[in-house]
Amino acid sequence: MRRQRGFLGSQTFFNRNFQLELCQNHLLSFKTSAFQGSVETMDDDFVASSTPPFLTESLEMAMEMENETSKPPCFSCAFDNQNGGRSFSSESYLASGSLKRVLLRLDPSPNDYEEDVVEMFGFQWVTEMALVESCGLLFGLLRQQIYRLENLVQMSSSDFGQAANLHSEAESIRHQCIEFLHYVKVFIFRYLEPSKVENDGMLHPYEELEAQLPSLLVEELHGLTMHIGHLCELPSSVLAAFTIQHQAKVFPPSWHLLHLHLDINWLVLEILHVLGEKMMRQVVYANHFINLTGENLTSISLFETHCGNLVSDLISLSINKYIKVRPSEALTSHHYPCMCIKELWILLIQLLDHRNKGSHTECFWNLVNKTLKNIFQRPSSSERMSSSETTQCKDPLSFSWWIITHLASLCQFDRNGNLDEKKQKESNWKFVEELLKKSTDAQTGVLEEHLRMHLQCCLTLCSFWDLNLSIVTILWDYYSKNLNSCFTVPWLGLKGLANISKTSLSMLELVKSCCCEQQIPALYKSSNSYFIFLSILARMMKEEAENGGVHPWKQIKGRIYSKFHRRRMQELTEVGLQNFFNLFLMLAIVAETEDIVSRVLDLLDFLTPSSITVSQRALIWRGHFAFLLIYVEKNMDISVLAEKLSNAFREKAKEFLVTKNDYTQKQNLWTLLSTYIDGVQEVFETSCYLSLSEEKLLNDGFSMLLPACRGAELSMVLNFLQVVLARLRSVHKRVSQGLQLGNTAPDAQLPLVAKEHHLAVASALWRNFFPYLKSQRMSQTPPSPQLADTAAGFTLLALDIPSKALSDLQPQPILSMMQLFGWDDMVWPQLVSRYLSHLIQNSALCEAFSSMGYTSYEALTVRSWFRCILQMFIDQPTGMLAKTDAERTVGKAYMEQLTEMTRLIFKLSEVENILSKAHVEESVFKQDPKNALVQFIKAVGRTYSGLQTLPEKSAMVAKTLEYLGDVLKYVKPYLKAKGPPEGLQLTYWIIGCLVKFWAPILATSKAQQLLFRIVDCLLLPHSVLQQDKELPVALLSAIQESLPLYLQGLSFICCQSQTQGAYLNQLLGSIIQQYFGRFLPSSPTVLGAGQHPMVTALCSSITASQMLRLRKTTLHVINENYMQFKGNAPPPRLASVLAFILEVLQRTQSTELCDINLVLPAVLKCLVLVNELQVKKISTDIVQYMVEDCQAGSGGECATQLTSVFRQFIQEYTAVYDHRVFSILETVAVLDQTLVTSLIPTITQSLKDSEHKQGLGRNAAQREAYKRLLSYLAEAGQNEIQKLENETG
């Protein structure tokens, strides 16, 4: 019966219900007999030792377990992977140490099954005998539990209320099944002994059963595998459980059933392995199965078959997952749907590789390769297909690459499930070579989008396995035939286009990326398959070389060189040339640089000038420079390659110079020339010490190129020149510091060598670039700002390496440079301001001028600042047309430049000293440059006024004149062109400030000549003296706004000057005479509206002596030229003149003696002779203002003079204009009775004289008018009336 049950349990074609019924009928009897038999027959002879005879330290450590009963390991993806950073659950076969113990032949569960009785499937069993006596029954119960779990899957619904119960029940079933299989494994290890035959050949009944157990186990395990079937054939509803989130706490029965299948598949292999080890690797035959079926079934064949089926099932699952994977995502898309599948793969790898070392089973990769080969082969309809063959794969080649790459990554895990990248891994190169041949086979026609993925996988495998040069050979055979291909993927758009590098550095960087560690998954979109091939080749070259032995380059150079010959080189397109350079640049980086570059130059000589396009030649030049950059990075001399390149550049520069009207030809030539310029710049920026003959690249081709450049071309060359200058100075400074420190390192000679090369570079720069720069400083149009930047660079170069400056700059090149570009009055101010802004704060430059005793450095710089501000509008049109946007942009840029220059000027020591003494606030620095200049002018004036001694004042005058220079020369263009208006306004304002605030300085003998020139040029030019000629509106407007400054300054100077006082007074009078009438309106205006500039001058806050001098001169000019009657006819614009006088009186609120002497007689005359109401009104106001002011002064000189003027007025006009005179005096009497009272004798006498002259006796009318006047004079008047009446009586 027991043999029959075992047989039935091992067969799959019997009805499952029959098996379950049979198990239930015999369950109790077998349980009882097994339990009793175990008690009665237990003997020490049957107890298997659980400890191997020899233990190393690592094995002893592996045996350390927890004392309490452990939970059996199982597959579980429901774990928190943040716990300790583990890759797998602590219950997994890897993390729990289960696999490790099996492989080390240790007790699988040393702390479990130690009791006499064990519970399985709800029954009690004798631990040491249950499997021997009830093997078939136990496996039947296992199948029954599997069936129960399958029924739960069928019963499962969407009722969440039942989910927890179903989860609990399913988990319990799975746990029972796993526990039983672990028990089998432990039982074999502890209690199973190989059969022992006694001398008489008789065995104990239990021993007979025990001897049959290995065979029976093989049959039962075979039956179990047949019962559960293939993993990939599970219903889709069960396989869908792979997609359940791992973070879930409650799982459906399908999840438990699926993972139970995984457990059984693996535990069958573990049990077979433990059985084989226990049987001393003897083959165990399933005798009953063989006798019944005639088929051979052994422990070995069952292990191999099950391994093959399991690998096939896992690959089938991967195929289903690969269907949804894009080629671009291949390396980031895993092949396992669940972490448990990943673990199962790792378990298989570890177990198979372990067994393979013992040479009793094939390795893991062989199994995988067989399965993958089956995918490639389409079976005939008559042949029976395995489960793996039934799974269709549309692209078996790409899938094979994908699965092998991901499986290779799993080989990095150790027996504990930890990643160990240093672990030695078995390669699968032979099969990969076959894949690679298929991928590159022209008949296969693999598209670029798939080829990229294949090579990504190949590159990834190179990082896992030992390198294989055969891979390179296969790939090179393919790519050597397809160098002209773009290797693009259409659906990637622009990202997939062939990349023709724009610069040599970008070309080299692209190639260098192939030679370093890369993010391989990102290569799909960032690189084409050719670059991935180069990455593979570079990895081979580097790692093989690092490992010592023969350099791989020596092994493959012949294969690479042999593909290039004259015809092949001439067949290369631009893309082909780019790929050609990419290949050899990469090889030059990792292999023999000089040998490779020499070969490349020989190959390029096969190309004739007529056979290549301009873009191809430019690419060739970029390739040359990329090789130069490799030389530089490897610290190799570049002279040979540099001379070859520079000679070609010279020829093209010469062509560019002589080509005049052929625009297309010039464009083509510029393409090459700009390529050369970019390349040279990259070499200089890359070179660490500039000690590798870089000067060879700076030949006289540049001296031919520069004069032919325009616009953007010139800008590019000057930018390049600035970079080279800055780089040379920086490196030279660093090397010089190294020499000063006394370097004793092995490369101590390097600075000395580098210094020689630096002198050569400097000499080339001065010789080939500077003459053009010098010629452009006085161009007809404002130069580019880059010209100033470059000139500053040359100046600093002259400071660092003075000996190599041109001979016409010697012996003091920095002084010569400053005179050429910073202090020359003929150079454009835009150039000067930008040039000086680079240098003003350079302390080394200041020290150099100090050391040579040149004290005018700061003064001349300030002078240039003066000129730059005065000439800020020099290039603007003189018309009133609206400015274009370009002109506004240029003007704004120049203003910003002047603002920066002003900030720097105010930091000069001389300027700081002046500002400090004048107590000028720092906010001045941030002002508009024009205002800042005025503040500086004021500060100089205040500083001079504060000096006490004559020597100090004399030195200050000299320094001030040095600051100014020939200031009139700066503004001459404005005066000559009579514009632009802004320029004229600025000129008259700034120089007016000079005259006013530097009046004490201009009053000195040293400066008076400048003052006279200012007056002659600005205020009294020939055009002004021509009264019949109208002055331009812009000029007149500028003079009108600034005239008060000049008048106030000149009035001060007139007061101060001892020698030229008369002449200066004459000049002042001439200026007033010329401009008083020009700015006088035709009729009086409202007070304050359209104010006359001379009113402003007279009413500003100036010293009393200044004011008096200016007032006296002004009134004298007015009296002489604007208030003289022609007979009785009044002068023109009389009302306006009178209004001017009245406004001066009112604004100054004072009456001076000169007013009474010069103005009052004329005003009184106007009152007598002019009948115009406006004239009378203003004249009356003037008289009233003067009388009241003299009265307020309580007498004094003014009052006396006032009386004198009125007395003269009475004597002159009473005879003819008696009534008007008496009327005027009546008005005055109202204002100042005392004044008129004092005039009574004069009036009476004038009356009598008039009557006498008429000879008609007393004039009754006159006397009546006179008496009316006297009636206003109180007692004195009455007395005089009485006298007159007495005379009459």
Side-chain angles (χ1 to χ4, degrees):
M1 284 297 294
R2 189 175 300 170
R3 290 176 59 85
Q4 181 183 11
R5 186 170 62 251
F7 168 73
L8 291 174
S10 65
Q11 308 306 308
T12 59
F13 50 83
F14 273 88
N15 185 277
R16 180 180 290 176
N17 291 335
F18 174 75
Q19 295 175 358
L20 295 174
E21 182 181 355
L22 186 62
C23 290
Q24 291 170 354
N25 291 338
H26 295 279
L27 179 61
L28 184 59
S29 61
F30 274 102
K31 173 188 172 184
T32 305
S33 63
F35 178 78
Q36 291 175 346
S38 66
V39 173
E40 294 174 356
T41 62
M42 185 178 293
D43 190 85
D44 291 342
D45 295 337
F46 296 99
V47 179
S49 173
S50 63
T51 306
F54 177 77
L55 292 177
T56 64
E57 182 179 356
S58 62
L59 297 183
E60 290 173 352
M61 291 175 63
M63 292 178 63
E64 293 179 0
M65 300 283 286
E66 297 179 1
N67 292 327
E68 60 186 35
T69 302
S70 60
K71 186 177 180 180
C74 62
F75 287 108
S76 176
C77 48
F79 72 100
D80 182 4
N81 59 9
Q82 294 180 355
N83 183 16
R86 294 193 302 267
S87 299
F88 303 98
S89 166
S90 58
E91 300 173 1
S92 67
Y93 297 94
L94 290 169
S96 66
S98 172
L99 172 68
K100 187 174 182 180
R101 300 186 68 79
V102 167
L103 298 183
L104 293 176
R105 302 181 188 179
L106 301 176
D107 190 329
S109 301
N111 295 323
D112 297 330
Y113 310 109
E114 294 186 338
E115 301 295 330
D116 293 339
V117 176
V118 59
E119 181 177 339
M120 291 183 291
F121 305 119
F123 299 100
Q124 300 288 327
W125 306 83
V126 177
T127 304
E128 298 184 12
M129 301 176 65
L131 194 61
V132 174
E133 296 190 338
S134 308
C135 181
L137 176 60
L138 286 168
F139 275 94
L141 291 172
L142 170 64
R143 289 189 289 274
Q144 184 183 36
Q145 294 300 317
I146 296 172
Y147 182 68
R148 282 183 61 204
L149 187 53
E150 290 172 350
N151 286 337
L152 283 181
V153 173
Q154 298 295 327
M155 295 167 54
S156 179
S157 67
S158 58
D159 185 356
F160 290 105
Q162 294 294 323
N165 294 332
L166 290 173
H167 165 74
S168 179
E169 185 176 355
E171 186 177 40
S172 174
I173 293 172
R174 181 188 174 200
H175 182 70
Q176 292 181 58
C177 295
I178 294 172
E179 271 199 334
F180 166 68
L181 292 174
H182 278 291
Y183 167 75
V184 173
K185 187 171 56 172
V186 172
F187 186 93
I188 294 171
F189 182 86
R190 293 184 189 174
Y191 310 124
L192 181 65
E193 288 287 344
S195 59
K196 299 177 182 179
V197 181
E198 302 292 339
N199 293 334
D200 55 0
M202 298 297 293
L203 293 174
H204 187 278
Y206 183 84
E207 289 180 327
E208 184 177 352
L209 289 174
E210 188 177 28
Q212 296 172 1
L213 180 60
S215 177
L216 188 59
L217 278 173
V218 173
E219 293 179 12
E220 290 293 347
L221 292 173
H222 175 255
L224 180 60
T225 59
M226 298 298 290
H227 178 78
I228 62 174
H230 285 283
L231 189 62
C232 63
E233 294 176 349
L234 285 171
S236 59
S237 60
V238 176
L239 290 175
F242 277 131
T243 62
I244 295 175
Q245 295 295 323
H246 300 163
Q247 290 78 16
K249 300 298 181 183
V250 176
F251 296 96
S254 60
W255 186 87
H256 291 285
L257 178 62
L258 179 61
H259 284 76
L260 177 59
H261 272 260
L262 298 179
D263 289 318
I264 292 173
N265 274 287
W266 170 246
L267 287 171
V268 166
L269 292 178
E270 270 199 345
I271 291 170
L272 287 171
H273 177 74
V274 173
L275 178 63
E277 294 295 322
K278 194 68 176 180
M279 300 300 293
M280 305 298 183
R281 299 185 182 176
Q282 297 176 10
V283 178
V284 178
Y285 291 89
N287 297 319
H288 189 195
F289 179 85
I290 294 172
N291 294 336
L292 185 64
T293 63
E295 296 180 11
N296 187 34
L297 178 64
T298 67
S299 58
I300 300 297
S301 67
L302 178 59
F303 184 93
E304 292 177 348
T305 301
H306 186 57
C307 272
N309 289 337
L310 186 54
V311 168
S312 178
D313 287 349
L314 293 176
I315 287 178
S316 295
L317 291 175
S318 298
I319 291 175
N320 293 331
K321 195 167 190 306
Y322 180 72
I323 294 172
K324 302 176 182 178
V325 175
R326 296 179 179 178
S328 60
E329 301 168 352
L331 293 183
T332 56
S333 300
H334 299 297
H335 64 288
Y336 44 84
C338 165
M339 287 294 292
C340 298
I341 298 294
K342 177 182 179 180
E343 183 183 4
L344 183 52
W345 274 115
I346 296 172
L347 292 169
L348 281 171
I349 292 169
Q350 294 292 334
L351 179 60
L352 291 175
D353 286 350
H354 175 79
R355 290 171 63 87
N356 179 250
K357 291 176 183 177
S359 302
H360 58 278
T361 187
E362 60 184 336
C363 71
F364 169 75
W365 284 119
N366 284 349
L367 275 178
V368 172
N369 296 344
K370 285 180 182 178
T371 306
L372 293 178
K373 286 177 181 177
N374 289 336
I375 298 176
F376 280 101
Q377 298 169 357
R378 181 177 295 176
S380 63
S381 58
S382 61
E383 293 177 343
R384 181 178 176 272
M385 293 184 293
S386 68
S387 61
S388 64
E389 290 169 337
T390 61
T391 305
Q392 295 299 316
C393 182
K394 294 182 180 179
D395 186 1
L397 179 59
S398 295
F399 171 75
S400 298
W401 277 110
W402 180 68
I403 190 67
I404 285 181
T405 303
H406 283 288
L407 291 177
S409 69
L410 297 185
C411 293
Q412 292 183 296
F413 288 89
D414 62 14
R415 295 172 176 179
N416 295 319
N418 299 320
L419 195 63
D420 181 11
E421 296 181 355
K422 295 182 179 180
K423 175 188 172 187
Q424 188 170 2
K425 297 168 279 290
E426 193 71 25
S427 73
N428 192 25
W429 278 125
K430 287 298 180 184
F431 186 73
V432 170
E433 287 178 25
E434 296 302 318
L435 292 180
L436 202 56
K437 289 176 182 177
K438 289 185 174 69
S439 296
T440 56
D441 188 355
Q443 294 181 349
T444 306
V446 176
L447 297 176
E448 169 69 11
E449 60 185 285
H450 292 112
L451 188 57
R452 286 189 189 185
M453 186 269 264
H454 299 176
L455 265 63
Q456 275 184 291
C457 294
C458 185
L459 180 58
T460 305
L461 293 175
C462 289
S463 64
F464 293 151
W465 301 337
D466 292 336
L467 301 179
N468 181 2
L469 284 178
S470 299
I471 296 296
V472 174
T473 303
I474 296 169
L475 287 172
W476 175 236
D477 286 340
Y478 170 75
Y479 283 106
S480 63
K481 300 171 185 175
N482 295 278
L483 280 177
N484 287 335
S485 299
C486 293
F487 306 109
T488 57
V489 177
W491 55 266
L492 274 178
L494 294 177
K495 292 181 179 178
L497 296 179
N499 184 14
I500 303 298
S501 300
K502 299 301 181 184
T503 65
S504 54
L505 184 60
S506 64
M507 182 188 294
L508 182 60
E509 290 297 329
L510 199 61
V511 173
K512 285 169 70 176
S513 67
C514 299
C515 304
C516 58
E517 294 298 325
Q518 305 173 80
Q519 294 294 325
I520 298 177
L523 291 179
Y524 189 92
K525 293 183 179 180
S526 64
S527 299
N528 56 36
S529 63
Y530 182 71
F531 272 103
I532 303 175
F533 155 65
L534 293 183
S535 298
I536 294 171
L537 178 57
R539 185 181 289 270
M540 297 281 183
M541 295 292 104
K542 289 174 65 179
E543 295 202 15
E544 286 288 343
E546 291 171 0
N547 294 334
V550 179
H551 197 290
W553 169 239
K554 297 186 181 297
Q555 302 177 49
I556 65 170
K557 64 186 293 186
R559 287 182 177 272
I560 291 179
Y561 285 159
S562 64
K563 300 294 183 180
F564 296 103
H565 41 76
R566 182 182 298 275
R567 183 171 57 83
R568 182 56 177 151
M569 290 299 297
Q570 293 176 349
E571 290 173 350
L572 292 179
T573 62
E574 187 175 358
V575 173
L577 275 173
Q578 178 73 71
N579 290 330
F580 167 83
F581 276 112
N582 290 338
L583 169 67
F584 284 103
L585 284 170
M586 186 278 297
L587 292 172
I589 292 172
V590 299
E592 300 169 353
T593 304
E594 289 182 302
D595 173 67
I596 291 168
V597 173
S598 175
R599 191 56 175 263
V600 168
L601 295 179
D602 292 341
L603 292 174
L604 290 174
D605 286 340
F606 289 149
L607 301 175
T608 58
S610 59
S611 66
I612 57 177
T613 64
V614 172
S615 58
Q616 285 179 315
R617 182 167 295 281
L619 177 59
I620 292 171
W621 281 23
R622 287 196 292 273
H624 279 80
F625 274 108
F627 283 119
L628 276 181
L629 292 175
I630 294 176
Y631 273 56
V632 169
E633 289 184 359
K634 293 190 174 187
N635 204 32
M636 299 165 61
D637 189 84
I638 66 171
S639 56
V640 175
L641 191 53
E643 282 189 6
K644 183 180 180 68
L645 264 173
S646 61
N647 289 337
F649 166 72
R650 180 191 291 111
E651 294 302 317
K652 296 302 176 185
K654 188 175 181 180
E655 287 183 44
F656 190 74
L657 178 63
V658 299
T659 302
K660 299 297 183 184
N661 300 320
D662 191 342
Y663 177 77
T664 302
Q665 175 67 4
K666 292 207 76 163
Q667 283 295 100
N668 291 337
L669 288 170
W670 179 250
T671 299
L672 295 174
L673 296 171
S674 62
T675 298
Y676 183 85
I677 292 168
D678 285 335
V680 176
Q681 180 171 329
E682 287 164 354
V683 169
F684 271 83
E685 289 176 332
T686 305
S687 180
C688 185
Y689 291 104
L690 297 181
S691 59
L692 306 174
S693 302
E694 290 85 355
E695 67 275 2
K696 300 287 185 183
L697 296 169
L698 303 173
N699 65 5
D700 56 354
F702 283 102
S703 63
M704 292 183 279
L705 172 64
L706 279 165
C709 288
R710 297 291 182 272
E713 300 163 352
L714 180 60
S715 176
M716 180 182 182
V717 179
L718 291 179
N719 274 334
F720 154 76
L721 182 53
Q722 290 173 54
V723 171
V724 173
L725 284 167
R727 183 66 180 157
L728 173 60
R729 291 183 55 246
S730 172
V731 174
H732 182 73
K733 181 178 180 181
R734 179 156 44 87
V735 170
S736 298
Q737 289 174 345
L739 285 171
Q740 292 170 4
L741 295 174
N743 190 359
T744 58
D747 59 349
Q749 292 300 312
L750 177 61
L752 294 173
V753 174
K755 197 167 184 181
E756 291 299 319
H757 283 285
H758 296 173
L759 295 175
V761 172
S763 179
L765 290 172
W766 284 108
R767 183 174 63 254
N768 298 319
F769 291 89
F770 184 73
Y772 171 80
L773 206 67
K774 183 180 177 182
S775 70
Q776 292 299 300
R777 68 192 186 94
M778 292 185 184
S779 59
Q780 295 299 313
T781 57
S784 163
Q786 294 164 304
L787 195 69
D789 301 338
T790 312
F794 269 106
T795 304
L796 296 175
L797 180 64
L799 181 65
D800 295 340
I801 312 177
S803 62
K804 289 301 175 179
L806 297 181
S807 57
D808 57 348
L809 300 176
Q810 299 293 352
Q812 295 174 326
I814 57 171
L815 179 58
S816 300
M817 287 295 293
M818 290 292 285
Q819 289 170 340
L820 283 172
F821 292 96
W823 300 335
D824 191 334
D825 292 344
M826 300 303 293
V827 178
W828 282 92
Q830 292 90 333
L831 174 64
V832 171
S833 63
R834 192 174 181 93
Y835 172 81
L836 289 177
S837 293
H838 287 295
L839 304 173
I840 291 173
Q841 286 296 295
N842 190 293
S843 57
L845 193 65
C846 297
E847 291 173 6
F849 280 113
S850 298
S851 63
M852 67 176 69
Y854 197 79
T855 58
S856 296
Y857 163 68
E858 293 191 3
L860 292 175
T861 304
V862 172
R863 176 192 295 183
S864 294
W865 174 57
F866 261 84
R867 182 172 76 87
C868 289
I869 293 177
L870 283 170
Q871 293 186 340
M872 66 167 58
F873 303 112
I874 202 77
D875 59 328
Q876 292 191 8
T878 58
M880 301 300 288
L881 298 175
K883 296 178 184 177
T884 64
D885 290 339
E887 287 171 336
R888 289 194 191 97
T889 302
V890 171
K892 182 180 179 182
Y894 185 46
M895 281 301 296
E896 291 175 355
Q897 183 59 54
L898 282 180
T899 302
E900 174 62 12
M901 184 184 186
T902 301
R903 184 186 68 82
L904 296 171
I905 286 288
F906 277 30
K907 292 186 178 296
L908 292 175
S909 59
E910 285 185 16
V911 178
E912 279 188 333
N913 186 39
I914 290 171
L915 296 175
S916 174
K917 290 180 178 178
H919 306 292
V920 176
E921 298 179 358
E922 289 189 4
S923 59
V924 173
F925 307 163
K926 302 176 183 178
Q927 291 183 2
D928 172 77
K930 300 187 293 295
N931 294 329
L933 177 57
V934 171
Q935 293 297 326
F936 175 72
I937 291 171
K938 291 180 180 179
V940 171
R942 284 199 290 269
T943 302
Y944 178 82
S945 299
L947 298 177
Q948 301 297 324
T949 65
L950 187 60
E952 288 179 333
K953 289 188 174 185
S954 179
M956 185 70 178
V957 170
K959 180 62 70 174
T960 303
L961 293 177
E962 197 172 12
Y963 289 156
L964 277 183
D966 192 353
V967 68
L968 293 172
K969 182 180 177 183
Y970 309 156
V971 300
K972 187 176 181 180
Y974 297 139
L975 301 175
K976 184 177 180 181
K978 303 296 190 293
E982 300 93 337
L984 290 173
Q985 294 278 359
L986 178 64
T987 297
Y988 277 89
W989 178 47
I990 295 296
I991 299 183
C993 291
L994 285 173
V995 173
K996 177 178 179 179
F997 300 112
W998 286 10
I1001 297 172
L1002 294 173
T1004 63
S1005 57
K1006 288 183 179 179
Q1008 274 193 358
Q1009 288 304 313
L1010 174 61
L1011 174 65
F1012 297 150
R1013 288 185 61 213
I1014 289 173
V1015 172
D1016 289 342
C1017 291
L1018 299 184
L1019 299 179
L1020 296 176
H1022 182 68
S1023 59
V1024 173
L1025 299 176
Q1026 295 174 325
Q1027 293 291 335
D1028 58 337
K1029 188 174 181 181
E1030 286 291 330
L1031 293 178
V1033 175
L1035 179 62
L1036 205 58
S1037 175
I1039 295 174
Q1040 183 174 6
E1041 289 188 13
S1042 303
L1043 188 58
L1045 299 172
Y1046 293 91
L1047 295 177
Q1048 292 167 0
L1050 282 169
S1051 64
F1052 179 88
I1053 296 171
C1054 288
C1055 297
Q1056 295 291 316
S1057 179
Q1058 302 295 327
T1059 59
Q1060 299 285 342
Y1063 180 66
L1064 288 169
N1065 277 322
Q1066 182 184 343
L1067 280 181
L1068 182 59
S1070 298
I1071 294 169
I1072 295 171
Q1073 181 181 348
Q1074 291 297 328
Y1075 293 105
F1076 179 80
R1078 291 182 187 274
F1079 302 126
L1080 188 68
S1082 58
S1083 61
T1085 55
V1086 180
L1087 185 65
Q1091 184 172 286
H1092 197 288
M1094 293 183 187
V1095 172
T1096 306
L1098 289 166
C1099 300
S1100 299
S1101 56
I1102 55 178
T1103 63
S1105 58
Q1106 274 183 274
M1107 189 275 292
L1108 190 59
R1109 177 58 60 94
L1110 180 58
R1111 189 162 180 162
K1112 185 175 181 179
T1113 306
T1114 303
L1115 293 178
H1116 177 75
V1117 170
I1118 292 173
N1119 186 48
E1120 291 293 326
N1121 297 279
Y1122 296 94
M1123 296 191 73
Q1124 297 300 318
F1125 285 71
K1126 292 183 179 179
N1128 290 334
R1133 295 184 292 180
L1134 179 58
S1136 297
V1137 174
L1138 293 171
F1140 172 85
I1141 295 170
L1142 177 61
E1143 186 175 0
V1144 171
L1145 292 172
Q1146 289 174 338
R1147 291 174 67 89
T1148 57
Q1149 297 181 352
S1150 67
T1151 301
E1152 301 296 337
L1153 195 60
C1154 60
D1155 302 341
I1156 299 171
N1157 290 333
L1158 298 173
V1159 174
L1160 186 57
V1163 172
L1164 292 173
K1165 185 175 182 180
C1166 293
L1167 284 171
V1168 172
L1169 299 180
V1170 180
N1171 294 321
E1172 186 182 342
L1173 292 178
Q1174 195 173 29
V1175 172
K1176 281 184 171 295
K1177 171 69 171 61
I1178 298 173
S1179 298
T1180 303
D1181 290 342
I1182 293 173
V1183 172
Q1184 179 181 348
Y1185 199 90
M1186 287 188 178
V1187 171
E1188 288 178 344
D1189 197 47
C1190 289
Q1191 185 183 27
S1194 302
E1197 191 176 0
C1198 284
T1200 303
Q1201 187 62 32
L1202 184 66
T1203 304
S1204 174
V1205 169
F1206 271 102
R1207 184 177 291 113
Q1208 185 178 354
F1209 166 69
I1210 293 168
Q1211 292 171 350
E1212 187 173 350
Y1213 293 102
T1214 300
V1216 181
Y1217 304 100
D1218 53 338
H1219 288 281
R1220 292 191 180 186
V1221 171
F1222 294 150
S1223 177
I1224 294 169
L1225 291 175
E1226 286 177 15
T1227 304
V1228 174
V1230 174
L1231 300 174
D1232 188 354
Q1233 194 178 68
T1234 306
L1235 172 62
V1236 181
T1237 301
S1238 66
L1239 294 173
I1240 290 175
T1242 303
I1243 301 171
T1244 303
Q1245 185 60 44
S1246 295
L1247 177 64
K1248 292 177 180 180
D1249 291 343
S1250 173
E1251 290 174 340
H1252 177 73
K1253 187 175 182 181
Q1254 292 175 0
L1256 297 176
R1258 295 179 178 83
N1259 189 328
Q1262 281 186 345
R1263 287 180 178 260
E1264 284 302 320
Y1266 182 38
K1267 288 178 182 179
R1268 191 166 52 253
L1269 169 62
L1270 291 172
S1271 65
Y1272 290 97
L1273 301 179
E1275 184 179 354
Q1278 292 302 321
N1279 291 337
E1280 189 63 26
I1281 292 173
Q1282 188 63 46
K1283 286 182 181 180
L1284 289 174
E1285 290 178 352
N1286 291 337
E1287 289 177 5
T1288 304

